Amino acid sequence: MLKKYQNWLLNPLSFFQLFFSYIKKKFIVYYEKRAIKFFKKKDIYKYFVSGEIVEIKPEFIDLKNIFQLITSRKPKCILEFGVGFSTICICLALRENEKNGFSGELYTVDAEKSWLKNTEDKLPQELKKYVTFNYSTCSVSEVNNQLVSIYDNLPNISPNFIYLDGPSPESVSGNIRGLGFTKKVTENKSDEVTKSKKKTWHRRIVASDILLYESSAPSDFFILFDRRYVNVNFLRNNLKHKYTLKKDLAFGIVTFEKKYQPYP
């Protein structure tokens, strides 16, 4: 405990971030209601209707943040890892940008065909022109001797806005020297291998696909993370350019914004 207090004294900014995050979390219901009111005022709350009982309900604080970032930054090309209500939200933001004279398109990638279909089915016809859905399997790989996941097929685009909310550990196949994001349990009894049982391993996912896009990224390259703090640390240590990092720990929002770097 004493060491924790010493760290806070040596890093006062971290202390205040944690303190204000703690306070904001106490009012999470208030912020959620404000976010819902925001979408109702724009008459787009109706688009966030659940398609299946098993799907995660919309988190309106996150969706409001996505919507406002896109309408303020006005990106021309967005790449989303992991479909869901965020896909619908991004399309709605692109439609609003278009009304104001700014065109943009969304490419989304997911390793689960069922969730791709679920999102496509919920997406109204008038929003479908803004998005291209991409299915890809996802595999274990390594970067600088670090265990990561990669999508096997990526859209051939140059995005200036990336939203990272996928894949899930269950979607990643394979292993490297026995390490993977999905655990396969095989029991040995009397030198006879019994039937293999597959269950999810509690290893947090680290997606590395963004590294492939960085070298040719536009000057306004921007990354939004939905929590995934381990992934944040990995990219902070492996991306080559300099970025401004912002965190809202109360809402689990982290962003990287590429600093201006003129070409030589």
mmCIF file with all atom_site columns, all heavy atoms in Angstrom, residues 7-21 245 247 249:
data_model
loop_
_atom_site.group_PDB
_atom_site.id
_atom_site.type_symbol
_atom_site.label_atom_id
_atom_site.label_alt_id
_atom_site.label_comp_id
_atom_site.label_asym_id
_atom_site.label_entity_id
_atom_site.label_seq_id
_atom_site.pdbx_PDB_ins_code
_atom_site.Cartn_x
_atom_site.Cartn_y
_atom_site.Cartn_z
_atom_site.occupancy
_atom_site.B_iso_or_equiv
_atom_site.pdbx_formal_charge
_atom_site.auth_seq_id
_atom_site.auth_comp_id
_atom_site.auth_asym_id
_atom_site.auth_atom_id
_atom_site.pdbx_PDB_model_num
ATOM 1   N N   . ASN A 1 7   ? 3.990   5.840  -5.608  1.00 0.00 ? 7   ASN A N   1
ATOM 2   C CA  . ASN A 1 7   ? 3.818   5.954  -7.056  1.00 0.00 ? 7   ASN A CA  1
ATOM 3   C C   . ASN A 1 7   ? 2.898   7.112  -7.420  1.00 0.00 ? 7   ASN A C   1
ATOM 4   O O   . ASN A 1 7   ? 3.123   7.828  -8.399  1.00 0.00 ? 7   ASN A O   1
ATOM 5   C CB  . ASN A 1 7   ? 3.252   4.646  -7.626  1.00 0.00 ? 7   ASN A CB  1
ATOM 6   C CG  . ASN A 1 7   ? 4.276   3.533  -7.645  1.00 0.00 ? 7   ASN A CG  1
ATOM 7   O OD1 . ASN A 1 7   ? 5.477   3.785  -7.693  1.00 0.00 ? 7   ASN A OD1 1
ATOM 8   N ND2 . ASN A 1 7   ? 3.805   2.297  -7.605  1.00 0.00 ? 7   ASN A ND2 1
ATOM 9   N N   . TRP A 1 8   ? 1.859   7.311  -6.628  1.00 0.00 ? 8   TRP A N   1
ATOM 10  C CA  . TRP A 1 8   ? 0.942   8.426  -6.878  1.00 0.00 ? 8   TRP A CA  1
ATOM 11  C C   . TRP A 1 8   ? 1.630   9.775  -6.693  1.00 0.00 ? 8   TRP A C   1
ATOM 12  O O   . TRP A 1 8   ? 1.386   10.711 -7.443  1.00 0.00 ? 8   TRP A O   1
ATOM 13  C CB  . TRP A 1 8   ? -0.267  8.315  -5.949  1.00 0.00 ? 8   TRP A CB  1
ATOM 14  C CG  . TRP A 1 8   ? -1.239  7.260  -6.373  1.00 0.00 ? 8   TRP A CG  1
ATOM 15  C CD1 . TRP A 1 8   ? -1.279  6.607  -7.570  1.00 0.00 ? 8   TRP A CD1 1
ATOM 16  C CD2 . TRP A 1 8   ? -2.331  6.742  -5.601  1.00 0.00 ? 8   TRP A CD2 1
ATOM 17  N NE1 . TRP A 1 8   ? -2.315  5.711  -7.592  1.00 0.00 ? 8   TRP A NE1 1
ATOM 18  C CE2 . TRP A 1 8   ? -2.985  5.760  -6.403  1.00 0.00 ? 8   TRP A CE2 1
ATOM 19  C CE3 . TRP A 1 8   ? -2.815  6.991  -4.328  1.00 0.00 ? 8   TRP A CE3 1
ATOM 20  C CZ2 . TRP A 1 8   ? -4.090  5.056  -5.966  1.00 0.00 ? 8   TRP A CZ2 1
ATOM 21  C CZ3 . TRP A 1 8   ? -3.932  6.293  -3.890  1.00 0.00 ? 8   TRP A CZ3 1
ATOM 22  C CH2 . TRP A 1 8   ? -4.558  5.334  -4.693  1.00 0.00 ? 8   TRP A CH2 1
ATOM 23  N N   . LEU A 1 9   ? 2.484   9.861  -5.658  1.00 0.00 ? 9   LEU A N   1
ATOM 24  C CA  . LEU A 1 9   ? 3.213   11.106 -5.409  1.00 0.00 ? 9   LEU A CA  1
ATOM 25  C C   . LEU A 1 9   ? 4.196   11.412 -6.544  1.00 0.00 ? 9   LEU A C   1
ATOM 26  O O   . LEU A 1 9   ? 4.388   12.567 -6.921  1.00 0.00 ? 9   LEU A O   1
ATOM 27  C CB  . LEU A 1 9   ? 3.960   11.030 -4.075  1.00 0.00 ? 9   LEU A CB  1
ATOM 28  C CG  . LEU A 1 9   ? 3.077   11.060 -2.816  1.00 0.00 ? 9   LEU A CG  1
ATOM 29  C CD1 . LEU A 1 9   ? 3.911   10.780 -1.577  1.00 0.00 ? 9   LEU A CD1 1
ATOM 30  C CD2 . LEU A 1 9   ? 2.395   12.422 -2.685  1.00 0.00 ? 9   LEU A CD2 1
ATOM 31  N N   . LEU A 1 10  ? 4.802   10.357 -7.077  1.00 0.00 ? 10  LEU A N   1
ATOM 32  C CA  . LEU A 1 10  ? 5.765   10.527 -8.162  1.00 0.00 ? 10  LEU A CA  1
ATOM 33  C C   . LEU A 1 10  ? 5.078   10.746 -9.513  1.00 0.00 ? 10  LEU A C   1
ATOM 34  O O   . LEU A 1 10  ? 5.682   11.311 -10.432 1.00 0.00 ? 10  LEU A O   1
ATOM 35  C CB  . LEU A 1 10  ? 6.683   9.298  -8.243  1.00 0.00 ? 10  LEU A CB  1
ATOM 36  C CG  . LEU A 1 10  ? 7.634   9.093  -7.054  1.00 0.00 ? 10  LEU A CG  1
ATOM 37  C CD1 . LEU A 1 10  ? 8.328   7.743  -7.161  1.00 0.00 ? 10  LEU A CD1 1
ATOM 38  C CD2 . LEU A 1 10  ? 8.666   10.219 -6.998  1.00 0.00 ? 10  LEU A CD2 1
ATOM 39  N N   . ASN A 1 11  ? 3.804   10.297 -9.611  1.00 0.00 ? 11  ASN A N   1
ATOM 40  C CA  . ASN A 1 11  ? 3.047   10.441 -10.857 1.00 0.00 ? 11  ASN A CA  1
ATOM 41  C C   . ASN A 1 11  ? 1.682   11.067 -10.557 1.00 0.00 ? 11  ASN A C   1
ATOM 42  O O   . ASN A 1 11  ? 0.646   10.388 -10.613 1.00 0.00 ? 11  ASN A O   1
ATOM 43  C CB  . ASN A 1 11  ? 2.863   9.080  -11.537 1.00 0.00 ? 11  ASN A CB  1
ATOM 44  C CG  . ASN A 1 11  ? 4.179   8.408  -11.871 1.00 0.00 ? 11  ASN A CG  1
ATOM 45  O OD1 . ASN A 1 11  ? 4.834   8.759  -12.832 1.00 0.00 ? 11  ASN A OD1 1
ATOM 46  N ND2 . ASN A 1 11  ? 4.558   7.439  -11.050 1.00 0.00 ? 11  ASN A ND2 1
ATOM 47  N N   . PRO A 1 12  ? 1.663   12.361 -10.221 1.00 0.00 ? 12  PRO A N   1
ATOM 48  C CA  . PRO A 1 12  ? 0.396   13.006 -9.832  1.00 0.00 ? 12  PRO A CA  1
ATOM 49  C C   . PRO A 1 12  ? -0.659  12.978 -10.935 1.00 0.00 ? 12  PRO A C   1
ATOM 50  O O   . PRO A 1 12  ? -1.844  12.894 -10.645 1.00 0.00 ? 12  PRO A O   1
ATOM 51  C CB  . PRO A 1 12  ? 0.820   14.445 -9.521  1.00 0.00 ? 12  PRO A CB  1
ATOM 52  C CG  . PRO A 1 12  ? 2.136   14.629 -10.203 1.00 0.00 ? 12  PRO A CG  1
ATOM 53  C CD  . PRO A 1 12  ? 2.797   13.277 -10.193 1.00 0.00 ? 12  PRO A CD  1
ATOM 54  N N   . LEU A 1 13  ? -0.232  13.022 -12.223 1.00 0.00 ? 13  LEU A N   1
ATOM 55  C CA  . LEU A 1 13  ? -1.203  12.990 -13.324 1.00 0.00 ? 13  LEU A CA  1
ATOM 56  C C   . LEU A 1 13  ? -1.983  11.685 -13.320 1.00 0.00 ? 13  LEU A C   1
ATOM 57  O O   . LEU A 1 13  ? -3.205  11.670 -13.494 1.00 0.00 ? 13  LEU A O   1
ATOM 58  C CB  . LEU A 1 13  ? -0.477  13.173 -14.660 1.00 0.00 ? 13  LEU A CB  1
ATOM 59  C CG  . LEU A 1 13  ? -1.370  13.203 -15.903 1.00 0.00 ? 13  LEU A CG  1
ATOM 60  C CD1 . LEU A 1 13  ? -2.368  14.357 -15.828 1.00 0.00 ? 13  LEU A CD1 1
ATOM 61  C CD2 . LEU A 1 13  ? -0.525  13.329 -17.165 1.00 0.00 ? 13  LEU A CD2 1
ATOM 62  N N   . SER A 1 14  ? -1.284  10.574 -13.098 1.00 0.00 ? 14  SER A N   1
ATOM 63  C CA  . SER A 1 14  ? -1.945  9.267  -13.042 1.00 0.00 ? 14  SER A CA  1
ATOM 64  C C   . SER A 1 14  ? -2.922  9.212  -11.880 1.00 0.00 ? 14  SER A C   1
ATOM 65  O O   . SER A 1 14  ? -4.016  8.650  -11.994 1.00 0.00 ? 14  SER A O   1
ATOM 66  C CB  . SER A 1 14  ? -0.901  8.154  -12.897 1.00 0.00 ? 14  SER A CB  1
ATOM 67  O OG  . SER A 1 14  ? -0.071  8.099  -14.025 1.00 0.00 ? 14  SER A OG  1
ATOM 68  N N   . PHE A 1 15  ? -2.523  9.818  -10.749 1.00 0.00 ? 15  PHE A N   1
ATOM 69  C CA  . PHE A 1 15  ? -3.403  9.829  -9.577  1.00 0.00 ? 15  PHE A CA  1
ATOM 70  C C   . PHE A 1 15  ? -4.702  10.568 -9.883  1.00 0.00 ? 15  PHE A C   1
ATOM 71  O O   . PHE A 1 15  ? -5.797  10.081 -9.584  1.00 0.00 ? 15  PHE A O   1
ATOM 72  C CB  . PHE A 1 15  ? -2.699  10.489 -8.391  1.00 0.00 ? 15  PHE A CB  1
ATOM 73  C CG  . PHE A 1 15  ? -3.624  10.791 -7.246  1.00 0.00 ? 15  PHE A CG  1
ATOM 74  C CD1 . PHE A 1 15  ? -4.059  9.777  -6.403  1.00 0.00 ? 15  PHE A CD1 1
ATOM 75  C CD2 . PHE A 1 15  ? -4.084  12.092 -7.018  1.00 0.00 ? 15  PHE A CD2 1
ATOM 76  C CE1 . PHE A 1 15  ? -4.926  10.046 -5.352  1.00 0.00 ? 15  PHE A CE1 1
ATOM 77  C CE2 . PHE A 1 15  ? -4.952  12.364 -5.976  1.00 0.00 ? 15  PHE A CE2 1
ATOM 78  C CZ  . PHE A 1 15  ? -5.373  11.343 -5.137  1.00 0.00 ? 15  PHE A CZ  1
ATOM 79  N N   . PHE A 1 16  ? -4.598  11.758 -10.508 1.00 0.00 ? 16  PHE A N   1
ATOM 80  C CA  . PHE A 1 16  ? -5.790  12.538 -10.806 1.00 0.00 ? 16  PHE A CA  1
ATOM 81  C C   . PHE A 1 16  ? -6.653  11.863 -11.863 1.00 0.00 ? 16  PHE A C   1
ATOM 82  O O   . PHE A 1 16  ? -7.887  11.951 -11.806 1.00 0.00 ? 16  PHE A O   1
ATOM 83  C CB  . PHE A 1 16  ? -5.399  13.950 -11.250 1.00 0.00 ? 16  PHE A CB  1
ATOM 84  C CG  . PHE A 1 16  ? -4.986  14.843 -10.106 1.00 0.00 ? 16  PHE A CG  1
ATOM 85  C CD1 . PHE A 1 16  ? -3.681  15.262 -9.975  1.00 0.00 ? 16  PHE A CD1 1
ATOM 86  C CD2 . PHE A 1 16  ? -5.915  15.221 -9.142  1.00 0.00 ? 16  PHE A CD2 1
ATOM 87  C CE1 . PHE A 1 16  ? -3.296  16.071 -8.915  1.00 0.00 ? 16  PHE A CE1 1
ATOM 88  C CE2 . PHE A 1 16  ? -5.542  16.034 -8.072  1.00 0.00 ? 16  PHE A CE2 1
ATOM 89  C CZ  . PHE A 1 16  ? -4.234  16.458 -7.956  1.00 0.00 ? 16  PHE A CZ  1
ATOM 90  N N   . GLN A 1 17  ? -6.035  11.178 -12.810 1.00 0.00 ? 17  GLN A N   1
ATOM 91  C CA  . GLN A 1 17  ? -6.802  10.424 -13.799 1.00 0.00 ? 17  GLN A CA  1
ATOM 92  C C   . GLN A 1 17  ? -7.641  9.346  -13.127 1.00 0.00 ? 17  GLN A C   1
ATOM 93  O O   . GLN A 1 17  ? -8.827  9.173  -13.433 1.00 0.00 ? 17  GLN A O   1
ATOM 94  C CB  . GLN A 1 17  ? -5.869  9.797  -14.830 1.00 0.00 ? 17  GLN A CB  1
ATOM 95  C CG  . GLN A 1 17  ? -5.361  10.754 -15.881 1.00 0.00 ? 17  GLN A CG  1
ATOM 96  C CD  . GLN A 1 17  ? -4.450  10.066 -16.892 1.00 0.00 ? 17  GLN A CD  1
ATOM 97  O OE1 . GLN A 1 17  ? -3.807  9.063  -16.585 1.00 0.00 ? 17  GLN A OE1 1
ATOM 98  N NE2 . GLN A 1 17  ? -4.396  10.603 -18.098 1.00 0.00 ? 17  GLN A NE2 1
ATOM 99  N N   . LEU A 1 18  ? -7.024  8.604  -12.225 1.00 0.00 ? 18  LEU A N   1
ATOM 100 C CA  . LEU A 1 18  ? -7.733  7.555  -11.500 1.00 0.00 ? 18  LEU A CA  1
ATOM 101 C C   . LEU A 1 18  ? -8.818  8.136  -10.607 1.00 0.00 ? 18  LEU A C   1
ATOM 102 O O   . LEU A 1 18  ? -9.923  7.588  -10.509 1.00 0.00 ? 18  LEU A O   1
ATOM 103 C CB  . LEU A 1 18  ? -6.746  6.733  -10.668 1.00 0.00 ? 18  LEU A CB  1
ATOM 104 C CG  . LEU A 1 18  ? -5.807  5.808  -11.445 1.00 0.00 ? 18  LEU A CG  1
ATOM 105 C CD1 . LEU A 1 18  ? -4.731  5.247  -10.519 1.00 0.00 ? 18  LEU A CD1 1
ATOM 106 C CD2 . LEU A 1 18  ? -6.571  4.666  -12.086 1.00 0.00 ? 18  LEU A CD2 1
ATOM 107 N N   . PHE A 1 19  ? -8.515  9.248  -9.963  1.00 0.00 ? 19  PHE A N   1
ATOM 108 C CA  . PHE A 1 19  ? -9.472  9.878  -9.057  1.00 0.00 ? 19  PHE A CA  1
ATOM 109 C C   . PHE A 1 19  ? -10.718 10.346 -9.802  1.00 0.00 ? 19  PHE A C   1
ATOM 110 O O   . PHE A 1 19  ? -11.851 10.052 -9.407  1.00 0.00 ? 19  PHE A O   1
ATOM 111 C CB  . PHE A 1 19  ? -8.809  11.053 -8.328  1.00 0.00 ? 19  PHE A CB  1
ATOM 112 C CG  . PHE A 1 19  ? -9.749  11.811 -7.430  1.00 0.00 ? 19  PHE A CG  1
ATOM 113 C CD1 . PHE A 1 19  ? -10.155 11.270 -6.210  1.00 0.00 ? 19  PHE A CD1 1
ATOM 114 C CD2 . PHE A 1 19  ? -10.247 13.055 -7.811  1.00 0.00 ? 19  PHE A CD2 1
ATOM 115 C CE1 . PHE A 1 19  ? -11.034 11.964 -5.383  1.00 0.00 ? 19  PHE A CE1 1
ATOM 116 C CE2 . PHE A 1 19  ? -11.128 13.738 -6.997  1.00 0.00 ? 19  PHE A CE2 1
ATOM 117 C CZ  . PHE A 1 19  ? -11.521 13.202 -5.784  1.00 0.00 ? 19  PHE A CZ  1
ATOM 118 N N   . PHE A 1 20  ? -10.517 11.076 -10.911 1.00 0.00 ? 20  PHE A N   1
ATOM 119 C CA  . PHE A 1 20  ? -11.658 11.584 -11.667 1.00 0.00 ? 20  PHE A CA  1
ATOM 120 C C   . PHE A 1 20  ? -12.418 10.451 -12.357 1.00 0.00 ? 20  PHE A C   1
ATOM 121 O O   . PHE A 1 20  ? -13.633 10.527 -12.535 1.00 0.00 ? 20  PHE A O   1
ATOM 122 C CB  . PHE A 1 20  ? -11.195 12.617 -12.688 1.00 0.00 ? 20  PHE A CB  1
ATOM 123 C CG  . PHE A 1 20  ? -10.843 13.945 -12.073 1.00 0.00 ? 20  PHE A CG  1
ATOM 124 C CD1 . PHE A 1 20  ? -9.555  14.439 -12.150 1.00 0.00 ? 20  PHE A CD1 1
ATOM 125 C CD2 . PHE A 1 20  ? -11.800 14.686 -11.393 1.00 0.00 ? 20  PHE A CD2 1
ATOM 126 C CE1 . PHE A 1 20  ? -9.221  15.656 -11.561 1.00 0.00 ? 20  PHE A CE1 1
ATOM 127 C CE2 . PHE A 1 20  ? -11.482 15.896 -10.800 1.00 0.00 ? 20  PHE A CE2 1
ATOM 128 C CZ  . PHE A 1 20  ? -10.186 16.389 -10.886 1.00 0.00 ? 20  PHE A CZ  1
ATOM 129 N N   . SER A 1 21  ? -11.715 9.381  -12.735 1.00 0.00 ? 21  SER A N   1
ATOM 130 C CA  . SER A 1 21  ? -12.388 8.212  -13.306 1.00 0.00 ? 21  SER A CA  1
ATOM 131 C C   . SER A 1 21  ? -13.297 7.569  -12.272 1.00 0.00 ? 21  SER A C   1
ATOM 132 O O   . SER A 1 21  ? -14.422 7.151  -12.584 1.00 0.00 ? 21  SER A O   1
ATOM 133 C CB  . SER A 1 21  ? -11.358 7.193  -13.791 1.00 0.00 ? 21  SER A CB  1
ATOM 134 O OG  . SER A 1 21  ? -10.618 7.702  -14.870 1.00 0.00 ? 21  SER A OG  1
ATOM 135 N N   . LEU A 1 245 ? -1.639  10.220 -26.972 1.00 0.00 ? 245 LEU A N   1
ATOM 136 C CA  . LEU A 1 245 ? -2.502  9.211  -26.344 1.00 0.00 ? 245 LEU A CA  1
ATOM 137 C C   . LEU A 1 245 ? -3.430  9.882  -25.337 1.00 0.00 ? 245 LEU A C   1
ATOM 138 O O   . LEU A 1 245 ? -2.978  10.654 -24.498 1.00 0.00 ? 245 LEU A O   1
ATOM 139 C CB  . LEU A 1 245 ? -1.639  8.153  -25.660 1.00 0.00 ? 245 LEU A CB  1
ATOM 140 C CG  . LEU A 1 245 ? -2.345  6.915  -25.097 1.00 0.00 ? 245 LEU A CG  1
ATOM 141 C CD1 . LEU A 1 245 ? -1.390  5.720  -25.075 1.00 0.00 ? 245 LEU A CD1 1
ATOM 142 C CD2 . LEU A 1 245 ? -2.843  7.160  -23.660 1.00 0.00 ? 245 LEU A CD2 1
ATOM 143 N N   . LYS A 1 247 ? -6.783  8.996  -22.606 1.00 0.00 ? 247 LYS A N   1
ATOM 144 C CA  . LYS A 1 247 ? -7.511  7.917  -21.935 1.00 0.00 ? 247 LYS A CA  1
ATOM 145 C C   . LYS A 1 247 ? -8.662  8.476  -21.111 1.00 0.00 ? 247 LYS A C   1
ATOM 146 O O   . LYS A 1 247 ? -8.509  9.494  -20.444 1.00 0.00 ? 247 LYS A O   1
ATOM 147 C CB  . LYS A 1 247 ? -6.561  7.136  -21.014 1.00 0.00 ? 247 LYS A CB  1
ATOM 148 C CG  . LYS A 1 247 ? -5.546  6.291  -21.726 1.00 0.00 ? 247 LYS A CG  1
ATOM 149 C CD  . LYS A 1 247 ? -4.781  5.402  -20.743 1.00 0.00 ? 247 LYS A CD  1
ATOM 150 C CE  . LYS A 1 247 ? -3.634  6.134  -20.110 1.00 0.00 ? 247 LYS A CE  1
ATOM 151 N NZ  . LYS A 1 247 ? -2.783  5.239  -19.295 1.00 0.00 ? 247 LYS A NZ  1
ATOM 152 N N   . LEU A 1 249 ? -10.581 6.497  -18.463 1.00 0.00 ? 249 LEU A N   1
ATOM 153 C CA  . LEU A 1 249 ? -10.666 5.198  -17.801 1.00 0.00 ? 249 LEU A CA  1
ATOM 154 C C   . LEU A 1 249 ? -12.069 4.902  -17.280 1.00 0.00 ? 249 LEU A C   1
ATOM 155 O O   . LEU A 1 249 ? -12.436 3.740  -17.119 1.00 0.00 ? 249 LEU A O   1
ATOM 156 C CB  . LEU A 1 249 ? -9.652  5.141  -16.654 1.00 0.00 ? 249 LEU A CB  1
ATOM 157 C CG  . LEU A 1 249 ? -8.175  5.281  -17.070 1.00 0.00 ? 249 LEU A CG  1
ATOM 158 C CD1 . LEU A 1 249 ? -7.269  5.279  -15.838 1.00 0.00 ? 249 LEU A CD1 1
ATOM 159 C CD2 . LEU A 1 249 ? -7.780  4.169  -18.020 1.00 0.00 ? 249 LEU A CD2 1
#
